[in-house]
Amino acid sequence: MKKYLIFDLDWTLVQSANQIDTIIYKYIQDNLDPDLIEYARYLIQNKQWMSIYEWVEILLECDKQTAKYHGDKIYNEINKVTKEIDFFEWVPEKIKQLSKSYTLFLSTGNSDEFAEKMLKKWEIYDCFEKIMWSSFIPKSPEHIEQFKKQSENKNFIDEAIFIWDGQVDEAIAKFHGMDFIHISPFTQNKFQIKSVNQIDDILNIFF
């Protein structure tokens, strides 16, 4: 029996990816080197588990202090647009419903402030047992280990499902041998749905 649901945030629960990418590219254009935009696009697409601090360090080939300086500024710009970003339709209501039957966790590559603002905006912050963001621990298998520790359940991996939209999350789920549900506009198999608000039918597969 499944007891735990682990959710990704960006583009799984909230429609944020495009706005965040635009903010990053604009920051590079205005404050760094426009010639780095294509490399930044590559890093965003292929290093999604990294915090902004980490890929800025790679992008600029700089020290951690410089990376933190620019990373803080980018995160500050991202945090300004929380009022403009919405959850996918009916997702907050579904999260509230699911929290009555499952223990919910959230793993995000975004900042703690962004995650907190978005979840509190729709009054679902308290629906999650634990939230892991990437400001201190980059999105990685370590997030799952932290959730397992929080659960105090040795069978956590077998009793959890990871719900995500990106390849990084797939790799994390497979690393742990964890069941997962893929959120995608292009459903190809029984473990894919177009939106979290359709999750009830697919959850029945795991029982």
Side-chain angles (χ1 to χ4, degrees):
M1 180 177 179
K2 300 298 184 182
K3 298 179 180 179
Y4 311 100
L5 301 181
I6 304 168
F7 287 92
D8 174 43
L9 180 63
D10 295 296
W11 219 245
T12 296
L13 301 182
V14 300
Q15 305 179 63
S16 56
N18 293 339
Q19 293 97 323
I20 291 173
D21 289 356
T22 298
I23 288 169
I24 292 171
Y25 300 145
K26 187 177 187 303
Y27 183 86
I28 295 171
Q29 175 75 38
D30 295 345
N31 301 280
L32 299 172
D33 182 353
D35 290 337
L36 292 173
I37 290 177
E38 285 304 314
Y39 186 32
R41 184 173 288 110
Y42 167 81
L43 291 176
I44 290 172
Q45 293 174 350
N46 294 278
K47 307 288 186 181
Q48 295 173 340
W49 66 91
M50 288 185 173
S51 68
I52 287 178
Y53 302 122
E54 289 178 299
W55 67 251
V56 166
E57 187 175 348
I58 295 173
L59 180 73
L60 300 181
E61 297 182 349
C62 63
D63 56 51
K64 293 185 182 300
Q65 183 175 358
T66 302
K68 187 176 187 308
Y69 171 82
H70 291 292
D72 283 343
K73 287 188 172 295
I74 293 172
Y75 273 135
N76 287 339
E77 292 302 312
I78 291 172
N79 293 334
K80 291 177 183 178
V81 301
T82 51
K83 292 182 178 180
E84 303 170 18
I85 295 175
D86 287 323
F87 281 77
F88 287 105
E89 188 175 15
W90 298 111
V91 165
E93 291 82 358
K94 179 55 65 177
I95 292 296
K96 291 176 184 178
Q97 179 187 353
L98 291 169
S99 68
K100 296 176 182 179
S101 303
Y102 299 89
T103 300
L104 307 186
F105 297 93
L106 185 76
S107 173
T108 177
N110 217 314
S111 71
D112 48 355
E113 185 175 352
F114 178 85
E116 183 175 349
K117 282 185 175 180
M118 288 303 303
L119 298 174
K120 287 185 175 179
K121 174 183 175 181
W122 289 94
E123 299 179 347
I124 59 173
Y125 184 85
D126 292 334
C127 291
F128 293 91
E129 176 75 14
K130 187 176 183 64
I131 299 168
M132 292 295 298
W133 34 69
S134 291
S135 299
F136 298 101
I137 300 178
K139 188 168 188 176
S140 65
E142 179 60 26
H143 280 200
I144 305 301
E145 291 298 330
Q146 291 295 320
F147 298 147
K148 181 179 179 180
K149 182 178 180 181
Q150 178 76 17
S151 75
E152 298 182 339
N153 182 353
K154 64 180 181 180
N155 297 318
F156 176 82
I157 299 299
D158 292 333
E159 297 175 1
I161 303 173
F162 199 173
I163 300 99
W164 47 264
D165 72 295
Q167 294 179 342
V168 171
D169 303 296
E170 179 180 15
I172 292 172
K174 289 183 175 179
F175 177 86
H176 285 284
M178 180 183 294
D179 288 323
F180 59 82
I181 297 172
H182 182 197
I183 306 299
S184 171
F186 309 105
T187 56
Q188 298 176 348
N189 59 59
K190 64 182 180 180
F191 298 109
Q192 289 183 331
I193 52 176
K194 293 182 179 180
S195 172
V196 169
N197 66 31
Q198 301 172 341
I199 201 171
D200 288 341
D201 289 340
I202 199 168
L203 284 176
N204 292 331
I205 297 174
F206 295 96
F207 289 94

Coordinates of all heavy atoms in Angstrom, one line a residue, residues 62-94:
C62 N 33.5 30.5 -11.8 CA 33.9 31.4 -10.7 C 33.9 30.7 -9.4 O 33.6 29.5 -9.3 CB 32.9 32.5 -10.7 SG 31.2 32.0 -10.3
D63 N 34.3 31.4 -8.4 CA 34.3 30.9 -7.0 C 32.9 30.9 -6.4 O 32.0 31.5 -7.0 CB 35.3 31.6 -6.1 CG 35.0 33.1 -6.0 OD1 33.8 33.5 -5.8 OD2 35.9 33.9 -6.3
K64 N 32.8 30.2 -5.3 CA 31.4 30.1 -4.7 C 30.9 31.4 -4.2 O 29.7 31.6 -4.3 CB 31.5 29.1 -3.5 CG 31.8 27.6 -4.0 CD 31.7 26.7 -2.8 CE 32.1 25.3 -3.2 NZ 31.1 24.8 -4.2
Q65 N 31.7 32.3 -3.8 CA 31.3 33.6 -3.3 C 30.7 34.4 -4.4 O 29.6 35.0 -4.3 CB 32.4 34.4 -2.7 CG 32.0 35.7 -2.1 CD 33.2 36.4 -1.4 OE1 34.3 35.9 -1.3 NE2 32.9 37.6 -0.9
T66 N 31.3 34.4 -5.6 CA 30.8 35.1 -6.8 C 29.5 34.5 -7.2 O 28.5 35.1 -7.6 CB 31.8 35.1 -7.9 OG1 33.0 35.7 -7.4 CG2 31.3 35.9 -9.1
A67 N 29.5 33.1 -7.2 CA 28.3 32.4 -7.7 C 27.1 32.7 -6.7 O 26.0 32.9 -7.2 CB 28.6 30.9 -7.7
K68 N 27.4 32.8 -5.4 CA 26.3 33.1 -4.5 C 25.8 34.5 -4.7 O 24.6 34.8 -4.6 CB 26.8 33.0 -3.1 CG 25.7 33.1 -2.0 CD 26.1 32.8 -0.6 CE 24.9 32.8 0.3 NZ 24.0 34.0 0.2
Y69 N 26.7 35.5 -5.0 CA 26.3 36.9 -5.3 C 25.3 36.9 -6.4 O 24.2 37.5 -6.3 CB 27.5 37.7 -5.6 CG 27.2 39.1 -6.1 CD1 26.9 40.1 -5.2 CD2 27.2 39.4 -7.4 CE1 26.6 41.4 -5.6 CE2 26.9 40.7 -7.9 CZ 26.6 41.6 -7.0 OH 26.3 42.9 -7.4
H70 N 25.6 36.3 -7.5 CA 24.7 36.3 -8.7 C 23.5 35.4 -8.5 O 22.4 35.8 -8.9 CB 25.5 35.9 -10.0 CG 26.5 36.9 -10.4 ND1 26.2 38.1 -10.9 CD2 27.9 36.8 -10.4 CE1 27.3 38.8 -11.2 NE2 28.3 38.0 -10.9
G71 N 23.7 34.3 -7.8 CA 22.6 33.4 -7.5 C 21.6 34.1 -6.7 O 20.3 33.9 -6.9
D72 N 22.0 34.8 -5.6 CA 21.0 35.5 -4.8 C 20.2 36.5 -5.6 O 19.0 36.7 -5.4 CB 21.8 36.2 -3.6 CG 22.3 35.3 -2.5 OD1 21.7 34.2 -2.5 OD2 23.1 35.7 -1.7
K73 N 20.9 37.2 -6.5 CA 20.2 38.3 -7.3 C 19.2 37.6 -8.2 O 18.1 38.1 -8.4 CB 21.2 39.1 -8.0 CG 22.0 40.1 -7.2 CD 22.8 41.0 -8.0 CE 23.5 42.1 -7.1 NZ 22.5 43.0 -6.5
I74 N 19.5 36.5 -8.8 CA 18.6 35.8 -9.7 C 17.4 35.2 -8.8 O 16.2 35.4 -9.2 CB 19.3 34.6 -10.4 CG1 20.3 35.2 -11.4 CG2 18.3 33.7 -11.1 CD1 21.2 34.1 -12.0
Y75 N 17.7 34.6 -7.7 CA 16.6 34.2 -6.8 C 15.7 35.3 -6.4 O 14.5 35.2 -6.3 CB 17.1 33.5 -5.6 CG 17.5 32.0 -5.8 CD1 18.6 31.4 -5.3 CD2 16.5 31.1 -6.4 CE1 18.9 30.1 -5.5 CE2 16.8 29.8 -6.6 CZ 18.0 29.3 -6.1 OH 18.3 27.9 -6.3
N76 N 16.3 36.5 -6.1 CA 15.5 37.6 -5.7 C 14.5 38.0 -6.9 O 13.3 38.4 -6.6 CB 16.4 38.8 -5.4 CG 17.0 38.6 -4.0 OD1 16.6 37.8 -3.2 ND2 18.1 39.3 -3.8
E77 N 15.0 38.0 -8.1 CA 14.1 38.3 -9.2 C 13.0 37.3 -9.4 O 11.9 37.6 -9.7 CB 14.9 38.4 -10.5 CG 15.9 39.6 -10.5 CD 15.2 40.9 -10.4 OE1 14.2 41.1 -11.1 OE2 15.6 41.7 -9.5
I78 N 13.4 36.0 -9.2 CA 12.3 35.0 -9.3 C 11.3 35.1 -8.2 O 10.1 35.0 -8.5 CB 13.0 33.6 -9.1 CG1 13.9 33.3 -10.4 CG2 12.0 32.5 -9.0 CD1 14.7 32.0 -10.3
N79 N 11.7 35.5 -7.0 CA 10.8 35.6 -5.9 C 9.8 36.8 -6.1 O 8.7 36.8 -5.6 CB 11.5 35.9 -4.6 CG 12.3 34.6 -4.2 OD1 12.0 33.5 -4.5 ND2 13.4 34.9 -3.4
K80 N 10.1 37.7 -7.0 CA 9.3 38.9 -7.3 C 8.0 38.5 -8.1 O 7.1 39.2 -8.1 CB 10.0 40.0 -8.0 CG 11.1 40.7 -7.1 CD 11.8 41.7 -7.9 CE 12.9 42.4 -7.1 NZ 13.7 43.3 -8.0
V81 N 8.1 37.4 -8.8 CA 7.1 37.0 -9.8 C 6.1 36.0 -9.2 O 5.3 35.5 -10.0 CB 7.6 36.6 -11.1 CG1 8.5 37.6 -11.7 CG2 8.4 35.2 -10.9
T82 N 6.1 35.7 -7.9 CA 5.2 34.6 -7.4 C 3.8 35.0 -7.6 O 2.9 34.2 -7.8 CB 5.5 34.4 -5.9 OG1 5.5 35.6 -5.2 CG2 6.8 33.7 -5.7
K83 N 3.5 36.3 -7.6 CA 2.1 36.8 -7.8 C 1.6 36.5 -9.2 O 0.4 36.5 -9.4 CB 1.9 38.3 -7.4 CG 2.1 38.6 -5.9 CD 1.9 40.0 -5.6 CE 2.1 40.3 -4.1 NZ 1.9 41.8 -3.8
E84 N 2.6 36.4 -10.1 CA 2.2 36.2 -11.5 C 2.1 34.8 -11.9 O 1.7 34.4 -13.0 CB 3.2 36.9 -12.4 CG 3.4 38.4 -12.1 CD 4.6 39.1 -12.8 OE1 5.0 38.4 -13.8 OE2 5.0 40.1 -12.4
I85 N 2.6 33.9 -11.0 CA 2.6 32.4 -11.4 C 1.5 31.7 -10.6 O 1.3 31.9 -9.5 CB 4.0 31.9 -10.9 CG1 5.1 32.5 -11.8 CG2 4.0 30.3 -11.1 CD1 6.5 32.1 -11.3
D86 N 0.8 30.9 -11.4 CA -0.3 30.1 -10.8 C 0.0 28.6 -10.8 O 0.8 28.1 -11.6 CB -1.6 30.4 -11.6 CG -2.1 31.8 -11.3 OD1 -2.0 32.2 -10.1 OD2 -2.6 32.4 -12.2
F87 N -0.7 27.9 -10.0 CA -0.8 26.5 -10.0 C -1.6 26.0 -11.2 O -2.4 26.8 -11.7 CB -1.4 25.9 -8.8 CG -0.5 25.8 -7.6 CD1 -0.2 27.0 -6.9 CD2 0.1 24.7 -7.2 CE1 0.6 27.0 -5.8 CE2 1.0 24.6 -6.1 CZ 1.2 25.8 -5.4
F88 N -1.4 24.8 -11.7 CA -2.2 24.3 -12.7 C -3.6 24.2 -12.2 O -3.8 24.0 -11.0 CB -1.7 22.9 -13.2 CG -0.5 23.0 -14.1 CD1 0.8 22.7 -13.6 CD2 -0.6 23.5 -15.4 CE1 1.9 22.8 -14.3 CE2 0.6 23.6 -16.2 CZ 1.8 23.2 -15.6
E89 N -4.6 24.2 -13.1 CA -6.0 24.3 -12.6 C -6.4 23.1 -11.7 O -6.1 21.9 -12.0 CB -6.9 24.2 -13.9 CG -8.4 24.5 -13.6 CD -9.2 24.6 -14.9 OE1 -8.7 24.2 -15.9 OE2 -10.3 25.0 -14.8
W90 N -7.0 23.4 -10.6 CA -7.5 22.5 -9.6 C -6.4 21.7 -8.8 O -6.7 20.9 -8.0 CB -8.5 21.5 -10.2 CG -9.7 22.1 -10.8 CD1 -10.0 22.2 -12.2 CD2 -10.8 22.7 -10.1 NE1 -11.2 22.8 -12.4 CE2 -11.7 23.2 -11.1 CE3 -11.0 23.0 -8.8 CZ2 -12.9 23.9 -10.8 CZ3 -12.2 23.7 -8.5 CH2 -13.1 24.1 -9.5
V91 N -5.2 22.1 -9.1 CA -4.1 21.4 -8.4 C -4.1 21.7 -6.9 O -4.0 20.7 -6.0 CB -2.7 21.7 -9.0 CG1 -1.6 21.3 -8.1 CG2 -2.6 20.9 -10.3
P92 N -4.2 22.9 -6.4 CA -4.3 23.1 -5.0 C -5.4 22.4 -4.3 O -5.2 21.8 -3.2 CB -4.5 24.7 -4.8 CG -4.0 25.2 -6.1 CD -4.3 24.2 -7.1
E93 N -6.5 22.3 -4.9 CA -7.6 21.6 -4.3 C -7.3 20.1 -4.2 O -7.6 19.4 -3.2 CB -8.9 21.8 -5.1 CG -9.5 23.1 -5.1 CD -8.8 24.2 -6.0 OE1 -7.8 23.8 -6.7 OE2 -9.3 25.3 -6.0
K94 N -6.7 19.6 -5.2 CA -6.3 18.1 -5.2 C -5.2 17.9 -4.2 O -5.3 16.8 -3.5 CB -5.7 17.7 -6.6 CG -5.3 16.3 -6.7 CD -6.4 15.3 -6.3 CE -7.6 15.4 -7.3 NZ -8.6 14.3 -6.9

